[in-house]
Amino acid sequence: MPLVLTGWESAPILRDCVHKIVVSESACSYRSLPIEKCSLQIHVYQPSEDSTYEKLSTNPSDTNEEYTAGSISVLPSKELEGLWESLFYDRDVKSRLLNYIYATIGFSDADVDCNLVSWNRVILLHGPPGTGKTSLCRALAQKLSIRLIDRYPKTHLFEINSHSLFSRWFSESGKLVQNLFSTVSEMAREEEDFVILLIDEVESLTSARSSAISGNEPSDALRVVNALLTQIDRLKTQKNVLIMATSNLVKAIDSAFVDRADVVQYIDFPTAQAIYDILRSSLVELMKKGIVEYLDVPDSGTAKIAFDANKHQDIPDADEQSHVQTLRHLSLSSNVDSSRFLGASLFAIGKECNGVSGRSLRRLPVLAHARYIGTMPISKSREKPNGRHDDGVKKQTKPSPVAVRVWLDAMRRVVEDETRNRQHFEC
């Protein structure tokens, strides 16, 4: 995980001008390196606030009718701060996507003949719902706006509303797609601006043309696919444009669109390590905010070692117990230190979450508190000098942080609840 540096606040110029300093990802496999052996790349930026606005377009068949083509965000944005760091995958997906962008920029700078070496600047992420495809696209856009800020001082993220591109006027949907890409081309005229087009649920625009030809789809859908492919080909020469698309139904996408994507990346449900990292980051945040008592939470590697070591201890009927029940028994019988026990227990909970999406995993702490901890909210009324609030009620004391073992037990129980709920849907 990225490291937020501390200790620099003592320097007046930094204290007055800097909000935080983050050391981000590196390809180095060592846990630490002397600073003199590091090649530092420092990016200074100020995220914008309230930078998202709707993009309205006019229907070509009715100039009095406007529709929302999508939303445009000026990046880097405060709203997307921390999103990149909150996403965990079993493989180095994020670095590979970044390196792909760097490669296309390097080839463009070298003026490589695109007839001999071809790239389209199109990324397609596909996989089950809730695995973070759209979030990864937004996070990648935010990361690029920071990393490329010297080259492109301003970055625009244009998220289109795919469903709005199907007009109620027959045969006009293709024209709406053309209008959309005309907007992108106009935005990209400024060579110092970087334009990222995000098409969420792209299958709604690129359904296979074979279905349309066989009569299963209306001819207007066929025009949309043809228009989209044509416009992508025209944007190929724009060095400051990147197209990202997501899909839950990749088999429904026209093969010609898939073929135009330089990167076709499958985003699966998180693995055991990624699940642990997600749960760990949630727990660390709750500890930071004083909701759960503070305890050092080990990384996934240390937690797995502790889990494996505890799992092989001699426990009665261990084969018939779940991972979490096994760890509950060990918490009373073993001499492992608190941090290792926490890591092993959290890893055990993660093992019970196999096949759960990242979106669902992020909800578990809220559900655990709501169902099995139930802390009361704190009054937000203003306190008067006499120690009373404006409403005359004495100030409520802040609830004590929840004990780690209580939180772990609540998480275990809510995971069991959600597992039973999923089984009902699978029946």
Side-chain angles (χ1 to χ4, degrees):
M1 296 177 67
L3 174 65
V4 178
L5 294 183
T6 58
W8 50 268
E9 297 89 345
S10 57
I13 189 171
L14 294 179
R15 183 180 63 247
D16 296 339
C17 303
V18 176
H19 175 63
K20 66 179 177 180
I21 300 177
V22 178
V23 179
S24 195
E25 61 283 315
S26 169
C28 180
S29 58
Y30 296 99
R31 296 182 65 89
S32 62
L33 277 176
I35 189 67
E36 61 271 12
K37 292 187 177 181
C38 298
S39 176
L40 300 180
Q41 297 181 6
I42 300 175
H43 307 278
V44 180
Y45 69 98
Q46 181 177 5
S48 56
E49 298 186 36
D50 301 326
S51 57
T52 301
Y53 58 94
E54 290 186 344
K55 174 62 180 176
L56 298 177
S57 296
T58 303
N59 194 311
S61 294
D62 186 356
T63 56
N64 295 322
E65 180 185 12
E66 288 188 331
Y67 65 96
T68 303
S71 62
I72 298 178
S73 301
V74 179
L75 304 182
S77 168
K78 190 173 183 179
E79 181 183 354
L80 299 180
E81 279 289 282
L83 180 59
W84 178 267
E85 292 79 15
S86 71
L87 300 173
F88 299 94
Y89 302 98
D90 58 326
R91 291 170 293 183
D92 204 10
V93 174
K94 296 192 291 185
S95 293
R96 279 191 281 176
L97 292 176
L98 275 176
N99 290 335
Y100 158 74
I101 304 298
Y102 297 154
T104 61
I105 292 175
F107 278 35
S108 296
D109 289 346
D111 199 23
V112 173
D113 189 342
C114 61
N115 294 311
L116 301 177
V117 180
S118 179
W119 64 97
N120 295 304
R121 299 183 182 86
V122 178
I123 295 174
L124 172 61
L125 304 182
H126 65 100
T131 51
K133 299 179 294 296
T134 304
S135 295
L136 179 55
C137 288
R138 291 170 178 159
L140 179 61
Q142 174 86 344
K143 181 65 70 172
L144 290 173
S145 70
I146 297 170
R147 294 288 179 87
L148 304 178
I149 197 167
D150 293 333
R151 174 186 288 262
Y152 301 113
K154 186 180 293 185
T155 298
H156 302 275
L157 173 61
F158 189 2
E159 299 185 52
I160 72 165
N161 183 356
S162 302
H163 302 288
S164 69
L165 296 179
F166 286 94
S167 173
R168 61 190 177 94
W169 302 97
F170 181 73
S171 79
E172 292 297 335
S173 297
K175 293 181 181 179
L176 296 184
V177 172
Q178 293 177 14
N179 288 349
L180 169 71
F181 277 84
S182 295
T183 301
V184 174
S185 297
E186 184 177 343
M187 294 169 62
R189 285 180 183 174
E190 293 291 336
E191 294 184 356
E192 293 188 348
D193 288 1
F194 191 49
V195 181
I196 301 173
L197 178 63
L198 172 55
I199 310 174
D200 203 13
E201 297 181 355
V202 71
E203 66 271 9
S204 61
L205 284 180
T206 57
S207 56
R209 285 175 291 182
S210 57
S211 298
I213 294 173
S214 63
N216 296 328
E217 297 288 343
S219 58
D220 203 27
L222 181 60
R223 293 188 180 93
V224 168
V225 178
N226 291 336
L228 181 63
L229 297 177
T230 300
Q231 297 303 319
I232 289 176
D233 291 339
R234 289 180 178 175
L235 282 179
K236 181 179 179 179
T237 58
Q238 292 279 4
K239 298 180 180 180
N240 58 336
V241 174
L242 171 67
I243 300 175
M244 295 191 287
T246 69
S247 175
N248 299 329
L249 303 169
V250 70
K251 292 184 179 180
I253 301 177
D254 193 278
S255 59
F257 178 85
V258 177
D259 185 62
R260 280 167 171 77
D262 299 328
V263 177
V264 180
Q265 178 66 56
Y266 181 70
I267 306 296
D268 201 356
F269 290 117
T271 59
Q273 178 178 337
I275 291 173
Y276 178 85
D277 288 332
I278 291 172
L279 296 178
R280 178 184 184 274
S281 65
S282 297
L283 176 56
V284 169
E285 174 66 12
L286 295 179
M287 290 178 172
K288 187 186 302 182
K289 296 303 188 291
I291 296 176
V292 178
E293 67 175 349
Y294 177 79
L295 190 64
D296 182 52
V297 188
D299 59 32
S300 57
T302 304
K304 186 178 186 306
I305 292 173
F307 171 79
D308 290 339
N310 291 337
K311 185 176 63 174
H312 292 101
Q313 292 192 23
D314 186 17
I315 304 172
D317 301 324
D319 293 338
E320 299 179 2
Q321 301 183 62
S322 70
H323 297 295
V324 181
Q325 290 170 330
T326 299
L327 266 296
R328 288 187 73 201
H329 180 91
L330 285 169
S331 69
L332 302 175
S333 62
S334 63
N335 294 321
V336 295
D337 63 271
S338 299
S339 179
R340 284 174 56 85
F341 167 73
L342 170 57
S345 300
L346 194 59
F347 196 90
I349 291 173
K351 295 283 283 186
E352 301 296 320
C353 297
N354 185 42
V356 178
S357 69
R359 180 188 299 159
S360 298
L361 290 170
R362 292 290 183 190
R363 288 196 294 261
L364 293 179
V366 176
L367 298 178
H369 274 255
R371 296 177 188 175
Y372 301 112
I373 298 176
T375 52
M376 291 292 292
I378 304 171
S379 174
K380 288 291 186 180
S381 56
R382 181 179 297 176
E383 182 184 354
K384 290 184 176 181
N386 60 3
R388 293 179 176 271
H389 289 272
D390 290 337
D391 56 8
V393 180
K394 287 186 177 181
K395 179 182 178 181
Q396 294 179 345
T397 57
K398 185 177 180 179
S400 300
V402 177
V404 168
R405 295 197 181 198
V406 173
W407 185 84
L408 288 171
D409 186 65
M411 286 289 288
R412 173 190 62 81
R413 295 169 69 183
V414 82
V415 166
E416 291 175 351
D417 292 345
E418 294 304 296
T419 300
R420 285 193 295 269
N421 290 338
R422 291 203 312 273
Q423 290 172 349
H424 289 307
F425 282 100
E426 294 171 357
C427 292

